Amino acid sequence: GGSTNTSRRRADTLAQFRIHERCRITIMPGGDFCHGLLCVEALARARSGRGKLYQYDIFDSHSDLVGKYDYVFLFDVLEHIEQPKPFVSCVLSYVKPGGLLFVNVPAMELLRSEYDDAAGHFRRYSVASLGREFDHCEVKIRQGMYWGFSMVPLLLMRKLAVKGMKDEQTIIRSGFRPPHRWMNSALRALSATERALLRRPPCGSSVMMAIEK
């Protein structure tokens, strides 16, 4: 029946979450999917694809959108919010009862550097501290885990490389873009090795979490 299919889709989504290093958690067939982008320039540059694109203030709580979504994805957003708890409460209002919110954030305050300041990061998270952002909500943390263990040494090197830099654009260019094209291939190979050897890394450059409403 319908409930069985919904449960199966949710289980499939969580299964994909467990191999999250690929960052390819997909919307299941039949789901309604939209993107909410704050930056008008980013919205203009976004490639057309499945679903609709909105420039939308989520605190407007439009009745056509609240409680509509089986899955909501909040990737690399929460670290930019100075007061996260009102924000996550509002985000959760768009999730159907029994639906899932997937969150990805940068991890480990040890890795914090001038790059985080330039990128507008108020904080980096641990699994525990990310979970605490939802302790005022009636939700269940289905899973939380680190990923990007192999990236930790590289981010420590980035921390040293940008130390003392003042110009934000220079920091972003130095801290985000690989120095050589072959580096992307090397990082993909490193990530594949990590996935093969470490199913649940003890730490990592990011935290991903699945929250059930």
Side-chain angles (χ1 to χ4, degrees), residues 56 58 60-69 90 93-95 213:
Y56 173 66
I58 64 169
D60 286 346
S61 300
H62 197 287
S63 59
D64 288 344
L65 301 176
V66 169
K68 181 178 180 180
Y69 297 98
C90 187
S93 71
Y94 293 86
V95 183
K213 183 176 177 180

Side-chain angles (χ1 to χ4, degrees), residues 22-83:
R22 296 175 181 265
C23 294
R24 292 178 183 171
I25 300 172
T26 58
I27 299 298
M28 296 301 153
D32 195 355
F33 184 32
C34 70
H35 307 266
L37 297 177
L38 179 62
C39 178
V40 177
E41 181 181 357
L43 184 64
R45 293 185 179 186
R47 290 179 293 179
S48 60
R50 180 180 177 183
K52 301 174 182 177
L53 289 170
Y54 293 101
Q55 182 195 357
Y56 173 66
D57 184 343
I58 64 169
F59 287 98
D60 286 346
S61 300
H62 197 287
S63 59
D64 288 344
L65 301 176
V66 169
K68 181 178 180 180
Y69 297 98
D70 294 305
Y71 310 108
V72 171
F73 299 85
L74 203 62
F75 286 3
D76 304 317
V77 173
L78 205 56
E79 68 273 14
H80 296 275
I81 308 299
E82 187 170 6
Q83 299 294 333

Side-chain angles (χ1 to χ4, degrees), residues 157-210:
M157 292 171 61
R158 180 178 74 182
K159 182 175 182 176
L160 294 174
V162 302
K163 186 175 179 62
M165 289 186 180
K166 302 298 183 183
D167 182 71
E168 290 187 351
Q169 293 302 317
T170 302
I171 293 171
I172 294 296
R173 285 195 300 270
S174 301
F176 187 76
R177 295 179 181 176
H180 302 286
R181 290 182 178 180
W182 58 262
M183 184 66 75
N184 279 332
S185 298
L187 292 175
R188 282 196 294 268
L190 193 61
S191 178
T193 303
E194 177 185 327
R195 294 197 303 272
L197 298 177
L198 289 174
R199 184 173 177 82
R200 295 188 66 90
C203 63
S205 59
S206 296
V207 174
M208 189 173 280
M209 186 167 284

Side-chain angles (χ1 to χ4, degrees), residues 127-145:
V127 171
S129 65
L130 180 56
R132 286 195 292 271
E133 300 289 22
F134 299 90
D135 60 9
H136 64 295
C137 305
E138 294 183 3
V139 296
K140 179 180 180 181
I141 306 298
R142 291 290 298 271
Q143 190 171 358
M145 60 191 297

